[in-house]
């Protein structure tokens, strides 16, 4: 039954003090520990020290946010700028507009420095537009949707059921019957809200992390909705993944422009960026980066839009450019990239490169690049579909040879 669909996620899961178990492997020390969101990760003693420092930085950033609330008023960053018509411009309205701009700039800087975990739910709901989207439907929308879909079986629900145990296995809350049931309700509800998308593998990881942050299924559902309907490019998660293919091509072009030497080298050894970037764009880095680093990326993503994904993807290649230029095989490139992303426990290292060393990109620029790539992507997908249909016809022909 769905009687508890909107209640807060079990308080048994809370950010924990790092638990370590040290074992000697050859001459190295390997440490297993829990990060800020309960994920068990494996690294070395330096990784533990970085994460302990990160915990202190998170506490400090929390104090910064609370101090601003105390001085500027509760929830100052959630207030929309006042609308002023051209015919009513006055000294007062100009001051008000200037204040709104100053608040926007201050908020952007604050968000890039990280939103404290306790404030993430309400700040994300506001800056992403999820709260506004939620306000356009009856309060009982999510509950009514769950009741309407209860017991129904579709291709989407079948795939969701298969993917539940594969979603962050071993997590202390997600990998439980309660966690699976909660995640299933969010994914199934959205698959019925948008039949065009239904369900796509990758959404399970995104929704799972949203659940951990937002604390309630209903808020996680609306964050998922605003992501797919407003923040990300259209058709990223449809059957043919056309939007994701477009993003791959745009990213490839950006890599060629921002890192031409590295791009030419990767081309020369036959490396295609989609080998690593497909997962980045479908899972929004949730499977690739440590949890707090992923959430720092999402902080900015919800405030500044999908261009952030390109900034971060470019930063990962930029950070390891010299090492990647020495590779001779595709497998070596993948190994370096995966090793780098899995151990990026310090978000500042990644975000500093993403926003300070990768030149700025506007949404306008990205939109133009997408429009440029869309025809080629659609033509390629059309050819692929024709080949698939032709193969099916050949297999069904009585004259066709069968093994």
């Amino acid at each position: 039954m769905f009687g508890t669909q909107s209640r807060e996620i079990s308080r048994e899961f809370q950010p924990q003090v790092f638990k370590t178990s040290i074992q000697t492997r050859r001459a190295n020390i390997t440490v297993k520990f829990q990060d800020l969101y309960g994920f068990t990760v494996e690294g070395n003693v330096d990784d533990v020290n970085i994460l302990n420092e990160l915990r202190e930085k998170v506490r400090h950033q929390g104090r910064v946010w609370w101090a601003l609330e105390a001085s500027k008023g509760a929830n100052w960053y959630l207030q929309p700028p006042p609308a002023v018509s051209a015919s009513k411009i006055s000294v007062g309205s100009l001051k008000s507009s200037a204040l709104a701009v100053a608040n926007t700039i201050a908020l952007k800087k604050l968000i890039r420095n990280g939103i404290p975990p306790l404030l993430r739910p309400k700040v994300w709901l506001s800056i992403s537009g999820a709260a506004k989207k939620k306000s356009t439907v009856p309060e009982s929308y999510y509950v009514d949707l769950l009741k309407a879909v209860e017991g129904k079986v579709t291709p989407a629900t079948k795939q969701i059921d298969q993917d539940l145990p594969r979603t962050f296995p071993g997590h202390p809350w997600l990998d439980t019957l309660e966690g699976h049931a909660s995640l299933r309700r969010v994914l199934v509800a959205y698959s019925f809200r948008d039949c065009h998308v239904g369900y796509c593998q990758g959404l399970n990881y995104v929704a799972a992390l949203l659940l951990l942050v937002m604390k309630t299924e209903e808020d996680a559902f609306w964050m998922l909705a605003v992501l797919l309907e407003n923040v990300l490019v259209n058709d990223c998660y449809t059957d043919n993944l056309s939007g994701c293919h477009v993003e791959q091509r745009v990213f490839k072009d950006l890599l060629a422009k921002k890192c031409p030497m590295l791009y030419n080298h990767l081309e020369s050894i036959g490396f295609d960026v989609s080998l690593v970037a497909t997962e980045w764009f479908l899972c929004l880095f949730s499977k690739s980066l440590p949890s707090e680093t992923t959430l720092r990326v999402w902080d900015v993503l919800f405030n500044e839009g999908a261009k952030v994904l390109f900034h971060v993807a470019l930063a990962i290649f930029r950070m390891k450019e010299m090492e990647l230029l020495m590779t001779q095989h595709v497998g070596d490139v993948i190994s370096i990239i995966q090793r780098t992303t899995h151990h990026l426990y310090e978000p500042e290292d990644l975000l500093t490169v993403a926003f300070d060393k990768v030149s700025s990109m506007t949404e306008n620029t990205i939109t133009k690049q997408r429009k440029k790539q869309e025809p080629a992507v659609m033509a390629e997908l059309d050819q692929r579909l024709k080949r698939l249909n032709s193969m099916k016809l050949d297999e069904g022909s009585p004259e066709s040879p069968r093994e």
Side-chain angles (χ1 to χ4, degrees):
M1 299 298 289
F2 299 103
T4 58
Q5 68 276 354
S6 295
R7 61 171 166 67
E8 186 170 336
I9 288 174
S10 172
R11 292 188 180 276
E12 292 179 6
F13 169 67
Q14 296 289 344
Q16 301 176 28
V17 176
F18 299 128
K19 300 175 181 178
T20 62
S21 58
I22 302 176
Q23 58 181 15
T24 303
R25 291 183 180 174
R26 297 178 184 173
N28 299 322
I29 295 179
T30 299
V31 184
K32 287 186 178 180
F33 49 89
Q34 285 188 351
D35 68 9
L36 290 169
Y37 283 85
F39 292 97
T40 299
V41 290
E42 187 170 309
N44 56 37
V45 176
D46 289 337
D47 294 327
V48 176
N49 291 335
I50 290 172
L51 275 165
N52 280 326
E53 291 173 4
L54 177 61
R55 288 172 62 85
E56 185 51 44
K57 288 179 181 178
V58 169
R59 291 192 193 96
H60 172 74
Q61 190 65 4
R63 291 192 287 270
V64 171
W65 280 73
W66 295 124
L68 280 167
E69 284 214 340
S71 64
K72 294 190 175 186
N75 302 334
W76 67 272
Y77 44 84
L78 303 184
Q79 305 303 317
V84 180
S85 67
S87 62
K88 295 183 178 179
I89 294 177
S90 64
V91 173
S93 65
L94 287 174
K95 286 183 178 179
S96 180
S97 296
L99 180 59
V101 170
N103 281 350
T104 300
I105 294 172
L107 179 59
K108 181 177 179 179
K109 183 177 179 181
L110 267 178
I111 289 171
R112 285 193 176 186
N113 287 332
I115 302 171
L118 285 175
L119 286 175
R120 271 196 178 114
K122 70 172 182 176
V123 176
W124 278 10
L125 281 169
S126 176
I127 63 176
S128 68
K132 184 176 181 180
K133 184 179 287 287
K134 180 180 177 182
S135 70
T136 64
V137 298
E139 287 187 13
S140 60
Y141 178 89
Y142 182 67
V143 176
D144 293 341
L145 184 57
L146 287 179
K147 290 178 180 177
V149 305
E150 185 175 2
K152 292 187 177 179
V153 177
T154 66
T157 63
K158 290 178 181 178
Q159 187 62 57
I160 289 168
D161 288 335
Q162 289 181 21
D163 287 349
L164 290 174
R166 305 170 186 166
T167 309
F168 298 125
H171 188 276
W173 184 78
L174 288 171
D175 195 13
T176 64
L177 291 177
E178 182 186 4
H180 288 174
S182 188
L183 178 58
R184 185 184 192 278
R185 287 191 287 269
V186 172
L187 291 171
V188 169
Y190 192 79
S191 76
F192 279 86
R193 171 182 168 84
D194 188 345
C195 297
H196 182 57
V197 171
Y199 170 74
C200 173
Q201 289 178 308
L203 289 179
N204 50 322
Y205 294 99
V206 175
L209 203 48
L210 285 172
L211 270 171
L212 293 184
V213 174
M214 303 307 294
K215 299 294 190 281
T216 71
E217 293 174 24
E218 187 169 2
D219 285 348
F221 169 84
W222 286 111
M223 289 304 302
L224 187 64
V226 83
L227 259 176
L228 272 59
E229 296 164 19
N230 300 94
V231 178
L232 303 178
V233 67
N234 291 335
D235 298 328
C236 240
Y237 297 96
T238 48
D239 286 343
N240 63 7
L241 300 178
S242 61
C244 186
H245 289 296
V246 169
E247 300 295 73
Q248 300 297 323
R249 283 175 173 263
V250 172
F251 175 56
K252 192 173 182 179
D253 277 357
L254 289 171
L255 186 65
K257 291 176 183 176
K258 307 286 185 181
C259 307
M261 188 182 299
L262 176 59
Y263 174 81
N264 290 333
H265 173 71
L266 295 178
E267 284 282 293
S268 72
I269 64 174
F271 175 80
D272 191 310
V273 295
S274 64
L275 293 172
V276 293
T278 299
E279 182 179 284
W280 295 349
F281 284 100
L282 283 178
C283 301
L284 309 182
F285 297 101
S286 61
K287 278 190 70 180
S288 309
L289 296 172
S291 64
E292 179 59 20
T293 305
T294 299
L295 297 179
R296 286 286 301 277
V297 171
W298 288 12
D299 285 346
V300 191
L301 172 67
F302 289 130
N303 190 50
E304 299 183 35
K307 67 174 184 177
V308 169
L309 300 178
F310 295 105
H311 274 276
V312 173
L314 286 168
I316 292 169
F317 277 90
R318 177 67 65 85
M319 291 174 77
K320 290 295 176 179
E321 183 168 7
M322 298 309 297
E323 191 174 345
L324 291 170
L325 284 169
M326 303 297 291
T327 57
Q328 298 298 321
H329 304 287
V330 170
D332 295 333
V333 177
I334 296 173
S335 178
I336 290 169
I337 294 295
Q338 290 182 341
R339 185 170 65 249
T340 300
T341 54
H342 291 167
H343 290 83
L344 272 171
Y345 297 113
E346 174 50 86
E348 300 302 332
D349 292 346
L350 175 63
L351 296 179
T352 297
V353 176
F355 297 112
D356 293 346
K357 297 186 179 179
V358 173
S359 55
S360 178
M361 294 175 280
T362 65
E363 285 290 351
N364 227 13
T365 302
I366 299 299
T367 299
K368 288 179 181 178
Q369 287 291 325
R370 286 172 179 150
K371 288 181 178 178
K372 175 185 172 183
Q373 296 297 342
E374 279 173 4
V377 168
M378 298 313 296
E380 183 180 308
L381 292 174
D382 187 51
Q383 286 298 316
R384 189 180 300 177
L385 182 61
K386 287 179 179 177
R387 287 196 301 270
L388 183 62
N389 289 336
S390 178
M391 290 172 61
K392 288 181 179 178
L393 286 173
D394 289 342
E395 289 174 0
S397 172
E399 291 81 15
S400 63
R402 294 182 181 272
E403 293 184 3

